[in-house]
Amino acid sequence: VLHGTKPLGHPLHPAITDVPIGAWTVVFLLDVAAHFWHTVPAQAVEFTLAIGVGSALIAVLSGLTDYQDTFGHERRIATAHGLTMAAVLILESLSLVLRLWAGASAHGAAVVLSALGLLFLGVGGYLGGHLVFAMGTMVNRNAFLEGPTDFIDVGEGAAFAEGRCVRVQAADLPVLVVRTQGRLQAISAVCSHAGGPLDEGVLEGDVVTCPWHGSRFRMTDGQVLRGPATFSQPVLVVEERDGHVLLRRN
Ligand code: FES
């Protein structure tokens, strides 16, 4: 659920982070408005700030869940992103505490903390964007692979033994082909999560487990059954003709 595999079928973290980012931006704007017009109810600002803090807690949990599967340079950027966002959450939470319980004398400090939090939020957001758009974290690794539109010969049927994972190349798409109960099935061999080689995974019945982070996919329809992957695998049409195996995009 925290990856977004179920029920969203889409990464949860970038979706949920929009809520605190929006809420804390509104808090800043309301603080500015209150400074000039004195007609902004304090409760409205506190309520908006509280929505930001509450939703940020879910964002932290989903971010930490995605963080477990990062490595190398990606992990270093993710660490910087996570620590910056944790600092933002602390600043905004302190601001909320001051507004609710410290009285009018601490209002100025509370406003400064919120504004500071928004500044850090820009830095953390930049790092998060870098992770996704520059490094491809949680991006569907099959997004730019198309596969053949017409049937393409990928070898003799005898090469695809029962229960064995076989990797073949079909145009630009590496494909995992397995024979279960005599029937051939084929999905992209590139794990949608981070590009792990599914042909090196474990096949149990018609379910294959990725060797890198353990995502599980059903061979019959490519459906992701367990994360961290959130996107299903592209499925290919398989035919056996004259002892040869043919594949094309579904
Ligand atoms: S690459 Fe991460 S689960 Fe496959």
Side-chain angles (χ1 to χ4, degrees):
V1 168
L2 287 170
H3 280 304
T5 310
K6 307 259 181 217
L8 269 190
H10 197 276
L12 172 65
H13 187 66
I16 195 71
T17 52
D18 284 359
V19 181
I21 290 171
W24 292 334
T25 304
V26 169
V27 166
F28 175 73
L29 295 174
L30 289 178
D31 279 339
V32 171
H35 179 74
F36 289 107
W37 295 295
H38 310 288
T39 53
V40 179
Q43 292 91 336
V45 188
E46 290 156 11
F47 182 64
T48 310
L49 189 49
I51 287 175
V53 170
S55 54
L57 291 173
I58 304 172
V60 166
L61 289 177
S62 65
L64 271 175
T65 307
D66 290 348
Y67 177 79
Q68 309 302 319
D69 303 315
T70 58
F71 58 94
H73 183 56
E74 179 192 34
R75 170 151 288 204
R76 286 191 286 280
I77 300 289
T79 302
H81 167 68
L83 289 175
T84 311
M85 288 311 198
V88 173
L89 180 56
I90 291 168
L91 288 168
E92 300 290 353
S93 301
L94 281 175
S95 175
L96 181 61
V97 168
L98 288 182
R99 288 170 201 255
L100 288 176
W101 292 293
S105 60
H107 182 73
V111 169
V112 169
L113 286 174
S114 279
L116 213 54
L118 198 63
L119 198 67
F120 275 84
L121 190 66
V123 177
Y126 173 86
L127 292 170
H130 185 74
L131 273 173
V132 175
F133 297 111
M135 307 187 77
T137 302
M138 296 299 280
V139 168
N140 181 3
R141 295 303 170 106
N142 289 297
F144 304 105
L145 298 172
E146 301 210 331
T149 47
D150 296 321
F151 276 115
I152 184 170
D153 188 334
V154 291
E156 292 183 8
F160 301 87
E162 180 77 22
R164 206 177 133 233
C165 293
V166 180
R167 183 187 182 102
V168 296
Q169 190 69 30
D172 63 337
L173 186 67
V175 178
L176 165 65
V177 184
V178 300
R179 192 189 291 279
T180 48
Q181 296 177 336
R183 196 167 152 244
L184 286 171
Q185 290 159 339
I187 62 174
S188 165
V190 180
C191 178
S192 64
H193 173 237
L198 292 185
D199 49 294
E200 294 174 22
V202 176
L203 182 70
E204 293 163 292
D206 63 354
V207 175
V208 64
T209 301
C210 178
W212 284 8
H213 309 109
S215 289
R216 287 163 67 81
F217 302 95
R218 196 161 52 206
M219 287 299 304
T220 47
D221 56 4
Q223 187 73 32
V224 54
L225 301 177
R226 190 182 72 193
T230 57
F231 298 105
S232 296
Q233 292 295 111
V235 180
L236 288 97
V237 179
V238 196
E239 279 189 15
E240 258 185 301
R241 280 188 223 150
D242 304 325
H244 278 249
V245 174
L246 307 175
L247 295 179
R248 74 165 165 76
R249 205 173 76 189
N250 199 351

